Amino acid sequence: MRVVIAEDHFLLRDGLVRLLEAHGHSVIAAVETGPAVLDALIDLRPDVAILDVRLPPTFTDEGLQAALAARREIPGLPVLILSQHVEQLYARELLADGHGGIGYQLKDRVTDAEQFLDALERVAQGGTALDPTVIAKLLGRPARADPIATLTERERSVLALMAEGLSNTAIAGRLFLSEGAISKYTTAIFTKLDIRTDDDTNRRVRAVLTYLDSGPSGPR
Amino acid sequence: MWSGPSRWLRDTAVGYWRSGVLVAVAGLIPGLTAAVAVFGLSFSRSWSAHLHAPLLVRLVTAIGEWALAALWTAAGFGVAMAVLGRPTAQFLRRHGGRWLGAELPSPYRPPRPITKMSTGYWWNGHGYHETERQAKIEGWFMDRSLLAMRSADGDPQLRRDVVWQAVAAATVVPVAALPLLAGAGAIYAVTAQSMLWVALFAVASVAAAPFAWRTLSPVASRYLAPNPNATAEEQVARLNRIRADLTQTQAAELERIERNLHDGAQARMVALGMNLSSAERLVDTDPEQAKQVLREARASSKIALDQLRTLVRGINPPVLVERGLVDAIRALALDAPIEVDVRSTLERRPERPVEAALYFAAAELLTNVVKHAHATHATIELSHRRGVVSIVVSDNGTGGATATPGSGLAGIARRLAAFEGQVDADSPAGGPTRVSLTVPCELS
């Protein structure tokens, strides 16, 4: 894959480049600042981009803003956002356009190279890879009178794993259930959430988005 | 309830009473002083009453006698002020204030604490004494004595009390005495059988009675009310308190961070280093064991990162840095286990220190709602009006939140006080609760 990296810490940037190249990916740009990354994303159109939320010059949320801006230009441009902290607020903003191809993970996750590369792969293919911490925060929210509230306990946990970006096979492995059973749950979820589309990846993204929007303070 | 003649009758009766009280209380010290002056002078003058001497000698003697009388008078005034100055002034602040419908708070400095020094001596704020009793007596006297008037640590109200007595002696006392003197004149005229004078005096007395005591009003508001400088002094005291709170909070905060790092990330890093060195040792001889140790090392680094993240959140939440107050509070609301609506009309960010203070205050309020209010829904409103940022947190819980000392609300109020901010809680038992935080602040 052709990858763009935006990370201002030299050690992390260098480590990421090495990790990716060791696994046969090519890093076509490794930049440090918000404006530079936006240019790189739009000019180079990578297969996937890895962005730090906080970048120079202002050290606020340039990375996130660059990702959103680039995806307005190139809908569905796969972006994996890395941060020292994860917020539901940012997850919503990233997923709001409904195009998928979004990853949002804690920086710690790069220490587990295999899982990290897996997540990157999923994002590049248009899936989602949300950090389990975001999912845990979502699960902590109160159930409300919305479609999410009609899901059973089991369906909710399947949806949570779907949000992490796991495939049915992987979910089956985590929950110690058969793949057939998971398939039934996902169909039930899509029906209850009224998601009708044939493309499975897109369906999964939409389900996660509905999940995120079920909170009381969703984007207005 | 009172109207027409009955009201006039009441006003007149009350006027006589108040004039009498004023003359007795405000006139007490001037009266005593005048008495000392008159008797002192006549006493000292009596020494040379039968002196037959040259003019120059008599002149010098007279000057000496007058000076002596003046000294006695000053001493008499000083003692009277020390003993009666404060009680009479306080009496008129309390009762005169009530008559005038005005609040005249006590302007005196609180008595200074008497403390035993490590030397064994007692310190009363003015000087050192061998016994506590001496220190108490001297302290009491120095708080009241005119001798302390010019000293830097004397109560500034002392000087104002002297001015009050002087002004009262010239204005309030003679005016308040009018109805009483005219009444006395009328009674005297009765004995002198002069009906015209009786009538004149009586009319003057009765006519003056409802009004005479009111000369207290302008004088009291100028000289009995607290000194404007005293409020500046209070301001200094308040700022000192805030500074003490701030430095204390800061120290506690640093201590917390240090302990957290020491027991958390730092200890983890040490363990990590040990794991790595043992892995290095094992890698040739027992690769399997080395792998196990490395796995432990990675787990350890993950935990260290988690601890650092939590710590950073408590020092300066990353969302606040990245997005500012409103989004940071939105992020808080999203993480809350109850429904929280966030509404904001803030268009720009407050100054950074105020922003952080408001964020932590709002976070604490929200935590209180979740923990104690048994609420199912909360609303957080942010607004900026006339240079004041306000955050209102309301919930549909059980209410009963109070700002008793030591409570969370009192803590929030103390921390916001550093920014001239305020906390107002409206939380009747049974709910709902509405707490508002206001801090004067410009937006950037």
Side-chain angles (χ1 to χ4, degrees), chain A residues 154-162 166-190 200 203-204:
Chain A
R154 183 62 94 180
E155 285 161 357
R156 277 165 74 95
S157 50
V158 170
L159 182 54
L161 291 170
M162 234 197 277
L166 300 188
S167 66
N168 279 6
T169 322
I171 296 175
R174 283 268 189 105
L175 298 179
F176 306 107
L177 291 170
S178 73
E179 220 183 307
I182 300 301
S183 175
K184 250 187 263 162
Y185 285 127
T186 52
T187 313
I189 292 169
F190 296 145
D200 187 56
R203 242 184 349 182
R204 294 171 95 89

Side-chain angles (χ1 to χ4, degrees), chain A residues 53-54 60-61 64-65 84-85 87-90 92-93 106 108 111-112 137 140-142 144 216-217, chain B residues 298 302 305-306 309 313 318-319 321-323 327 330-331 333-342 349:
Chain A
V53 168
R54 201 184 290 191
T60 55
D61 62 345
L64 188 71
Q65 298 304 338
Q84 293 286 14
H85 65 110
E87 303 290 340
Q88 294 184 55
L89 189 72
Y90 294 179
R92 278 160 196 278
E93 292 177 358
L106 278 177
D108 321 13
T111 57
D112 192 332
K137 283 179 172 180
R141 277 218 317 258
R144 302 176 71 231
S217 333
Chain B
R298 202 172 65 190
K302 201 166 266 177
L305 276 172
D306 276 336
R309 212 179 343 263
R313 225 174 245 281
V319 210
V321 177
E322 291 164 5
R323 286 297 188 81
D327 275 354
R330 285 219 168 92
L334 282 175
D335 289 348
I338 61 167
E339 260 186 72
V340 183
D341 273 329
V342 179
R349 294 175 65 169

Side-chain angles (χ1 to χ4, degrees), chain B residues 20-314:
Chain B
V21 171
L22 271 183
V23 169
V25 178
L28 182 59
I29 292 173
L32 284 173
T33 310
V36 172
V38 169
F39 286 113
L41 191 62
S42 67
F43 181 58
S44 64
R45 289 292 286 157
S46 69
W47 293 338
S48 63
H50 307 291
L51 185 70
H52 297 286
L55 184 68
L56 194 64
V57 175
R58 273 190 286 148
L59 196 67
V60 171
T61 317
I63 290 171
E65 286 166 351
W66 278 86
L68 204 58
L71 195 68
W72 287 340
T73 309
F77 178 69
V79 172
M81 276 305 288
V83 178
L84 298 169
R86 203 179 274 211
T88 53
Q90 283 291 72
F91 180 91
L92 288 176
R93 278 187 195 102
R94 193 161 51 243
H95 297 284
R98 187 164 47 78
W99 299 342
L100 298 167
E103 186 89 20
L104 296 173
S106 169
Y108 300 103
R109 273 189 192 162
R112 303 188 192 208
I114 293 172
T115 45
K116 190 168 190 179
M117 311 302 283
S118 55
T119 50
Y121 279 73
W122 295 83
W123 169 252
N124 61 11
H126 298 281
Y128 295 99
H129 297 273
E130 268 181 52
T131 66
E132 188 181 4
R133 198 181 147 77
Q134 276 176 16
K136 250 185 202 160
I137 292 170
E138 199 246 13
W140 184 93
F141 184 73
M142 287 302 282
D143 277 345
R144 290 163 177 75
S145 164
L146 299 186
L147 298 176
M149 205 163 73
R150 295 190 62 86
S151 99
D153 50 29
D155 191 338
Q157 188 59 32
L158 269 176
R159 189 192 297 265
R160 292 172 53 80
D161 272 3
V162 172
V163 176
W164 143 252
Q165 275 301 343
V167 173
T171 57
V172 178
V173 176
V175 175
L178 271 180
L180 306 178
L181 288 176
I187 291 165
Y188 177 76
V190 168
T191 60
Q193 308 235 328
S194 160
M195 288 327 280
L196 176 68
W197 282 108
V198 170
L200 276 177
F201 274 127
V203 168
S205 172
V206 170
F211 308 105
W213 66 272
R214 291 188 176 274
T215 39
L216 177 66
S217 171
V219 181
S221 65
R222 278 184 186 76
Y223 301 103
L224 284 179
N227 186 343
N229 289 334
T231 50
E233 222 171 272
E234 280 165 21
Q235 190 88 341
V236 170
R238 198 175 58 85
L239 289 175
N240 275 338
R241 208 163 48 236
I242 288 172
R243 190 184 56 185
D245 273 347
L246 262 187
T247 43
Q248 220 161 48
T249 317
Q250 206 171 31
E253 209 37 16
L254 284 178
E255 201 173 303
R256 182 181 68 84
I257 293 166
E258 189 274 337
R259 203 173 41 237
N260 225 314
L261 284 173
H262 181 266
D263 298 348
Q266 235 169 2
R268 292 271 162 201
M269 288 296 166
V270 173
L272 193 64
M274 279 160 58
N275 276 346
L276 287 176
S277 76
S278 64
E280 194 178 17
R281 210 162 13 82
L282 285 167
V283 75
D284 291 325
T285 53
D286 189 352
E288 265 317 301
Q289 180 74 17
K291 272 187 194 165
Q292 175 61 30
V293 171
L294 283 174
R295 265 195 293 278
E296 277 171 26
R298 202 172 65 190
S300 188
S301 83
K302 201 166 266 177
I303 295 173
L305 276 172
D306 276 336
Q307 287 173 341
L308 283 175
R309 212 179 343 263
T310 315
L311 186 63
V312 165
R313 225 174 245 281

